[in-house]
Amino acid sequence: MIRISLVALTFLVVCPVVADNNFRGESEYRLLITHLMDTCEVVRANPAIFPYRTFTFGPLGLEVRKASNATEANELRNLHLGATAHAYRLQAERITDYFFCGPLCSPSRKAHLIRQPERFRTLAQRFTEIDGLQLLSVWAPKDEVRVNDLFVLSGTAKEAIPSAEMGFVPSGVWKKWPSLTAYLDSIAVTEAQIDTLTAEMRDIGLSALRREKEGIRLVGVGVGDNESGVLLLKAGANRPKLSQPLADLKQLSILDRVADDLYYYETN
């Protein structure tokens, strides 16, 4: 049985972003309300970590794996952004300000990422060699992590179950695991491997590693449908195009060649 807390019910009633919109998957999305409120608790204790939790594949990100097209996926991600802002009592613009931080912001992100191509290649190779990993994500606080659809939040390991109609992840429906180790054992991955990868990610300044059809997507920062990072193409892969969405239907808005196999990108 799914239980919704009194706080979450209050949020559901007063949040104009959810209450005033009818959209495909609305009933599934409402199951996320409790999750949004739960993630607020850590931020109340340490407000400085808020922007990190909104990273693309972090606890406040949203995947829409069964969206009809990129437009629907982006609209739902932006609706989720508004709901997140409401949960934290922030204007939605305050959240996006962390990404759109002025005219020098995009060039600075690019400069930071593209100066370390060999580290990208080494990290991507290590990630690729671990067959059980499709996605690895970090944010703040430092002891939290996501491995595939398994989130470790406040010391609890729980696997997000994609919703049936829309493929929401998180979906508000979870499978609890005894520990991160128990989940990793099920996919033949060790904690030492995860620790090595996440330490390198944090040192480089990356928030996620994800397998794509063309290679590895190394995510820097992102919020909603906005993201910056690097695409490392595998041998023989075609150069990506601006008209070609990423695997999660984010639309490329910037695509700059760094090397034959390496491209800096931004989405919106």
Side-chain angles (χ1 to χ4, degrees):
M1 177 183 294
I2 297 170
R3 300 179 183 275
I4 300 180
S5 69
L6 179 60
V7 174
L9 283 171
T10 302
F11 172 83
L12 187 61
V13 171
V14 304
C15 179
V17 176
V18 175
D20 296 344
N21 285 275
N22 294 314
F23 51 91
R24 195 165 73 92
E26 179 184 0
S27 61
E28 291 182 340
Y29 182 79
R30 287 172 179 264
L31 298 180
L32 269 171
I33 302 305
T34 298
H35 170 67
L36 279 177
M37 300 309 297
D38 286 346
T39 59
C40 288
E41 305 220 355
V42 177
V43 177
R44 289 192 191 103
N46 183 4
I49 70 173
F50 167 74
Y52 302 100
R53 293 177 78 79
T54 63
F55 283 165
T56 299
F57 296 108
L60 294 178
L62 181 68
E63 293 179 71
V64 191
R65 295 180 180 175
K66 296 184 180 180
S68 301
N69 49 48
T71 298
E72 182 179 48
N74 286 335
E75 286 177 351
L76 288 169
R77 275 189 282 253
N78 288 330
L79 180 141
H80 182 66
L81 188 63
T84 299
H86 184 86
Y88 286 87
R89 296 184 176 89
L90 293 173
Q91 295 295 318
E93 292 76 13
R94 284 285 309 281
I95 297 178
T96 56
D97 282 349
Y98 292 111
F99 190 84
F100 297 107
C101 48
L104 297 180
C105 207
S106 179
S108 295
R109 285 194 294 262
K110 178 181 177 181
H112 171 72
L113 288 175
I114 67 174
R115 65 172 177 246
Q116 36 199 347
E118 289 309 316
R119 295 185 74 184
F120 291 142
R121 293 188 178 94
T122 300
L123 178 61
Q125 181 64 32
R126 290 174 179 166
F127 177 76
T128 303
E129 289 172 351
I130 305 174
D131 292 336
L133 292 183
Q134 298 297 318
L135 170 68
L136 184 61
S137 178
V138 294
W139 52 87
K142 194 173 181 179
D143 59 351
E144 296 189 342
V145 67
R146 175 179 175 181
V147 181
N148 300 335
D149 289 342
L150 187 285
F151 291 75
V152 177
L153 298 168
S154 301
T156 299
K158 53 184 185 177
E159 184 179 2
I161 306 303
S163 64
E165 181 182 5
M166 299 302 298
F168 289 139
V169 175
S171 69
V173 179
W174 304 88
K175 173 185 177 180
K176 288 189 176 180
W177 286 80
S179 64
L180 171 61
T181 301
Y183 174 76
L184 293 178
D185 286 345
S186 75
I187 59 172
V189 178
T190 68
E191 278 199 70
Q193 289 173 308
I194 297 299
D195 290 344
T196 298
L197 290 172
T198 56
E200 184 71 2
M201 288 167 64
R202 292 181 187 278
D203 192 52
I204 293 174
L206 297 173
S207 65
L209 302 173
R210 178 186 169 105
R211 293 182 195 261
E212 299 274 321
K213 181 180 179 181
E214 297 80 11
I216 301 298
R217 174 171 156 196
L218 301 99
V219 183
V221 295
V223 59
D225 59 352
N226 308 293
E227 178 181 311
S228 65
V230 171
L231 295 173
L232 182 63
L233 305 185
K234 61 185 178 183
N238 294 325
R239 180 192 189 279
K241 300 177 181 178
L242 285 177
S243 60
Q244 173 186 338
L246 297 171
D248 57 352
L249 296 179
K250 286 190 175 180
Q251 291 290 126
L252 295 168
S253 57
I254 295 175
L255 187 62
D256 293 341
R257 178 181 175 276
V258 179
D260 287 343
D261 61 344
L262 197 64
Y263 290 82
Y264 172 80
Y265 73 88
E266 290 198 6
T267 69
N268 64 28

